[in-house]
Amino acid sequence: MKVLFLNGPNLNLLGQREPGIYGKVTLADIELAVRAEAAKSETEVDFRQSNVEGELVTWIQQAKGEFGAIVLNAAAYTHTSVALRDAIAATGVPTIEIHISNVHARENFRHESMIAPVCVGQIAGFGLNSYLLGLSSALMITVD
Ligand code: DQA
């Protein structure tokens, strides 16, 4: 079973970026925690980040047939990207939307998710644990 973790714009700055909201953990710390957890169930993990919307679209397209699930923190593209939503719908790979912060407790523009209707579900507000919950959810919904 393979799970693809995708991270959108500015998540490469975790650790220095708005620590009051996102904490002090870096994306590398998160990747290590995800890999350690995945190893317990012999789950293969691919973990990527891009600031480029089209690159994320391409990775979602390429996931079909290779990954059992996608765990996606689309960051700001969550709230704007029809292209990401269409890519998820087009490829049909079960996708779990995750966020470090509780987007519903923040600015109004973060309450809307363009991708939520095409995702299996949404996890938000648990910090680094949103990624681990994303992994558990991926293992529950996938069979291959
Ligand atoms: C985020 C929430 C988004 O609104 C924001 O644009 C991000 C990070 C989160 O993980 O809490 O960049 O996806």
Side-chain angles (χ1 to χ4, degrees), residues 9-11 17 21-22 73-79 98-103 106 109-110 131:
N10 301 307
L11 293 173
R17 173 193 183 202
I21 295 172
Y22 299 113
N73 186 348
Y77 291 143
T78 304
H79 317 297
I98 65 162
H99 300 284
I100 294 164
S101 64
N102 179 358
V103 284
R106 299 181 62 194
F109 66 85
R110 293 184 207 276
Y131 284 78

Side-chain angles (χ1 to χ4, degrees), residues 1 3 37-38 41 43 69 96 134-143:
M1 158 63 177
V3 180
E37 193 58 33
S41 55
T43 303
I96 298 153
L135 176 64
S136 319
S137 310
L139 296 177
M140 284 173 198
I141 59 167
T142 48
V143 282

Side-chain angles (χ1 to χ4, degrees), residues 44-105:
E44 244 186 87
V45 163
D46 201 329
F47 198 96
R48 306 178 195 166
Q49 188 274 333
S50 179
N51 293 324
V52 180
E53 186 176 15
E55 191 162 35
L56 294 162
V57 168
T58 299
W59 287 339
I60 292 168
Q61 290 178 3
Q62 291 171 345
K64 194 178 169 75
E66 200 189 339
F67 292 93
I70 299 171
V71 178
L72 173 62
N73 186 348
Y77 291 143
T78 304
H79 317 297
T80 62
S81 181
V82 176
L84 284 183
R85 177 197 179 118
D86 285 352
I88 296 163
T91 52
V93 178
T95 299
I96 298 153
E97 174 183 352
I98 65 162
H99 300 284
I100 294 164
S101 64
N102 179 358
V103 284
H104 301 287

